[in-house]
């Protein structure tokens, strides 16, 4: 699967093994590969979520992100409450290790326990192969922090990440390297689909309905059909299934300036899940879409951010680039729902954000091949009437039926920011 148009970088995807639990073991001078320790809130009883378990417990079949009552009764274990501030300090120490090897622009912090490093331009400097450099970095992490890490190496971010997720843990030194030649041999064999990075359980179900049950099935599926069903995301899914990822770590830089955008986010008053949070997403799309119409703008990039409950930690933020600029509420909402279905992994949700980027002036109506002019015009007129009514009589004067459900927050939010044209 060699193609000179594909990037040939040397990317390291490094993950700190059983991070929260390992931090607690280091502080207690315990070996996480020999002790049974669970990070969870003991005050929540047997239903508490296990935020992390030691590698020893994992070897016994105990999973992280489960419930305490799911741990077999015959396995004794100690419970310690989570200390997020402590884990952040450990993470900062590990990041300082990475920055001793690469410049900041060649490092992307993916999460509190996971990073990507582009070491392509450093191999001659250190006179090492990517594999040898990975070994040195992992040893340095252990030496400085006491933590153990695993590493995937690949020619792009995607293959490095999947090598780390699926294979690195099988080796004693925790390192796995994939090349493009491994795509049909290893990547295509992944099943179920949710085992692949970037495909959540909900997207997996949608793909299953098309008869797609393995990454190989996805790679061989008609790309145009996928794009017609899922938009740009469908094309990206096909590319990833074929091991193609053109993104660069420098593109993901956390310090990169952000283009002007419209966004809206809220912290929820209770835990939401994959069903009732759709109401919130829909309401937030309405809010940011209205800003587009008020300023006569169009968007070409739709972003969705989901933050999980503090007791779980984490979340995700992903964007979808559109084929043509739009201010169509249905198009924007559909993009957000596709992003949600693809990346949501079932954790309790406490924060939701919707953003619209790459804004342009609405000088004229721009249509793509799948839009009908009369339909778009009718939608524009409808939204114009809605905006006029809510502006004159207050934001709660005209609501969707779903806004009357108990999980909706829009009525209360409208009252807090002003019932009329605030």
């Amino acid at each position: 699967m060699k193609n000179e148009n594909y990037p040939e970088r040397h990317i390291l995807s490094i993950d700190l093994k059983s991070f929260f639990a390992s931090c607690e073991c280091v502080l207690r001078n315990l070996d996480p590969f020999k002790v049974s320790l669970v990070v969870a809130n003991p005050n929540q009883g047997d239903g508490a979520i296990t935020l992390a378990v030691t590698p020893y417990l994992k070897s016994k079949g105990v999973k992280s992100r489960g419930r305490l009552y799911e741990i077999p009764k015959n396995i004794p274990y100690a419970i310690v409450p989570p200390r997020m501030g402590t884990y952040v300090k450990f993470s900062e120490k590990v990041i300082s290790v990475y920055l001793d090897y690469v410049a900041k622009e060649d490092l992307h912090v993916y999460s509190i326990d996971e990073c990507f490093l582009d070491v392509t331009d450093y191999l001659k400097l250190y006179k090492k192969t990517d594999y040898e450099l990975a070994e040195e970095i992992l040893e340095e992490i252990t030496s400085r922090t006491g933590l153990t890490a695993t590493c995937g190496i690949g020619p792009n971010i995607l293959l490095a990440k999947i090598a780390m997720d699926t294979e690195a843990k099988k080796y004693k030194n925790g390192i796995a390297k994939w090349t493009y030649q491994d795509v049909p041999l290893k990547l295509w064999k992944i099943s179920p689909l949710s085992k692949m990075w970037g495909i959540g359980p909900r997207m997996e179900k949608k793909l299953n309905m098309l008869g797609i049950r393995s990454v190989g099935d996805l790679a061989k599926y008609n790309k145009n059909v996928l794009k017609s069903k899922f938009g740009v995301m469908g094309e990206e899914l096909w590319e990833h299934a074929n091991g193609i990822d053109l993104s660069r770590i420098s593109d993901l830089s956390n310090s990169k300036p952000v283009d002007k955008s419209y966004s809206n986010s809220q912290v929820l008053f209770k835990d939401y899940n994959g069903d009732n949070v759709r109401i919130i997403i829909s309401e937030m799309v309405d809010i940011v879409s209205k800003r587009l119409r008020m300023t006569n703008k169009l968007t070409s990039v739709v972003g969705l951010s989901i933050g999980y409950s503090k007791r779980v930690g984490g979340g995700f933020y992903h964007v979808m680039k559109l084929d043509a600029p739009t201010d169509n509420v249905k198009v924007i909402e559909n993009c957000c729902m596709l992003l949600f279905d693809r990346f949501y992994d079932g954790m309790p949700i406490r924060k939701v954000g919707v953003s619209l980027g790459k804004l342009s002036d609405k000088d004229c109506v721009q249509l793509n091949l799948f839009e009908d002019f009369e339909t778009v015009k009718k939608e524009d007129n409808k939204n114009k009437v809605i905006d006029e009514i809510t502006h004159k009589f207050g934001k709660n004067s005209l609501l969707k039926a779903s806004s009357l459900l108990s999980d909706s927050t829009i009525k209360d939010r409208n009252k807090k920011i002003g019932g009329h044209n605030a």
Side-chain angles (χ1 to χ4, degrees):
M1 281 210 61
K2 179 71 171 124
N3 187 314
E4 60 184 17
N5 294 322
Y6 297 170
E8 277 286 0
R9 309 294 295 175
H10 297 270
I11 307 297
L12 308 185
S13 174
I14 301 179
D15 176 63
L16 301 172
K17 208 165 186 179
S18 302
F19 180 50
F20 294 171
S22 292
C23 289
E24 295 293 346
C25 286
V26 169
L27 294 172
R28 292 168 170 76
N29 199 27
L30 299 172
D31 185 343
F33 294 89
K34 294 180 180 179
V35 299
S36 298
L37 184 143
V38 176
V39 178
N41 187 340
N43 297 324
Q44 293 179 336
D46 285 347
I49 295 175
T50 58
L51 302 183
V53 302
T54 54
Y56 175 78
L57 277 176
K58 285 185 177 179
S59 71
K60 300 293 183 182
V62 179
K63 297 180 180 179
S64 290
R65 301 289 181 94
R67 302 280 182 174
L68 287 178
Y69 63 74
E70 295 175 335
I71 301 176
K73 302 298 181 185
N74 63 332
I75 300 179
Y77 59 88
I79 304 175
V80 297
R83 296 184 285 178
M84 295 305 296
T86 298
Y87 309 146
V88 168
K89 290 178 181 177
F90 268 95
S91 179
E92 289 171 347
K93 288 181 181 178
V94 175
I95 290 172
S96 72
V97 173
Y98 300 145
L99 291 174
D100 283 346
Y101 287 90
V102 300
K104 190 174 182 181
E105 58 266 24
D106 292 315
L107 169 68
H108 175 62
V109 180
Y110 183 65
S111 66
I112 192 173
D113 59 351
E114 213 171 319
C115 287
F116 293 104
L117 288 74
D118 187 342
V119 298
T120 307
D121 299 327
Y122 300 88
L123 300 182
K124 287 184 179 179
L125 173 66
Y126 297 120
K127 297 180 181 179
K128 292 179 181 292
T129 64
D130 49 13
Y131 195 95
E132 291 169 338
L133 187 56
E135 285 184 308
E136 182 175 323
I137 292 174
L138 264 56
E139 288 170 2
E140 189 67 17
I141 290 172
T142 302
S143 173
R144 291 200 210 174
T145 68
L147 301 172
T148 302
T150 57
C151 176
I153 307 171
N156 58 41
I157 293 173
L158 174 81
L159 292 180
K161 168 67 173 169
I162 298 176
M164 189 271 292
D165 283 342
T166 63
E167 192 175 325
K169 60 186 177 183
K170 298 177 182 178
Y171 302 115
K172 189 174 181 180
N173 67 355
I175 300 173
K177 180 174 178 176
W178 281 19
T179 67
Y180 287 115
Q181 284 68 39
D182 289 309
V183 169
L185 300 173
K186 297 179 179 180
L187 181 62
W188 287 0
K189 291 182 179 179
I190 295 177
S191 181
L193 290 166
S194 54
K195 285 188 175 181
M196 179 175 170
W197 182 45
I199 299 181
R202 291 172 175 270
M203 179 57 73
E204 178 185 41
K205 289 180 181 178
K206 292 188 174 186
L207 293 171
N208 286 167
M209 291 175 66
L210 299 176
I212 301 171
R213 300 196 171 274
S214 70
V215 176
D217 293 339
L218 181 57
K220 297 166 189 174
Y221 206 82
N222 187 310
K223 179 169 65 171
N224 293 326
V225 174
L226 290 170
K227 188 171 182 180
S228 69
K229 290 184 176 293
F230 304 114
V232 176
M233 182 183 290
E235 186 174 13
E236 184 184 85
L237 284 167
W238 182 89
E239 289 177 346
H240 284 188
N242 282 285
I244 304 168
D245 181 8
L246 303 180
S247 59
R248 295 277 293 270
I249 284 180
S250 55
D251 299 331
L252 306 175
S253 172
N254 298 315
S255 58
K256 188 175 161 185
V258 179
D259 293 333
K260 183 179 179 182
S261 62
Y262 293 153
S263 63
N264 189 272
S265 65
Q266 64 172 301
V267 177
L268 304 170
F269 60 88
K270 66 177 182 179
D271 287 349
Y272 278 65
N273 57 44
D275 297 318
N276 59 1
V277 80
R278 290 174 175 273
I279 297 174
I280 305 299
I281 295 173
S282 178
E283 291 174 349
M284 298 180 76
V285 167
D286 285 340
I287 292 171
V288 290
S289 297
K290 184 176 180 180
R291 289 190 67 188
L292 283 179
R293 297 192 299 271
M294 289 174 64
T295 55
N296 206 37
K297 297 286 186 181
L298 301 173
T299 181
S300 296
V301 177
V302 177
L304 177 70
S305 64
I306 297 293
Y308 297 145
S309 170
K310 279 187 178 180
R311 70 175 189 271
V312 176
F316 62 83
Y317 171 69
H318 290 283
V319 300
M320 184 185 295
K321 296 178 182 178
L322 307 179
D323 287 330
T326 187
D327 61 356
N328 188 297
V329 178
K330 291 181 180 178
V331 171
I332 295 170
E333 183 174 329
N334 185 52
C335 289
C336 288
M337 296 307 178
L338 283 172
L339 287 167
F340 182 74
D341 287 342
R342 181 173 178 186
F343 295 103
Y344 177 58
D345 59 5
M347 292 296 106
I349 298 168
R350 271 302 177 102
K351 187 174 181 180
V352 179
V354 173
S355 63
L356 306 178
K358 202 173 181 181
L359 304 182
S360 58
D361 293 328
K362 188 177 180 179
D363 297 323
C364 60
V365 177
Q366 301 182 47
L367 300 176
N368 61 41
L369 295 175
F370 303 101
E371 288 182 317
D372 174 72
F373 177 80
E374 288 303 322
T375 302
V376 172
K377 187 176 180 181
K378 187 182 292 184
E379 183 74 13
D380 281 346
N381 290 336
K382 182 191 76 174
N383 288 327
K384 184 178 180 181
V385 171
I386 291 173
D387 291 344
E388 289 174 351
I389 292 173
T390 55
H391 179 79
K392 184 174 183 179
F393 297 104
K395 294 181 178 181
N396 283 336
S397 61
L398 195 60
L399 297 170
K400 292 180 178 178
S402 60
S403 299
L404 302 177
L405 299 174
S406 59
D407 289 316
S408 170
T409 62
I410 193 65
K411 290 176 69 177
D412 288 336
R413 280 167 60 80
N414 283 345
K415 289 176 182 176
K416 289 176 182 177
I417 60 177
H420 283 270
N421 45 22

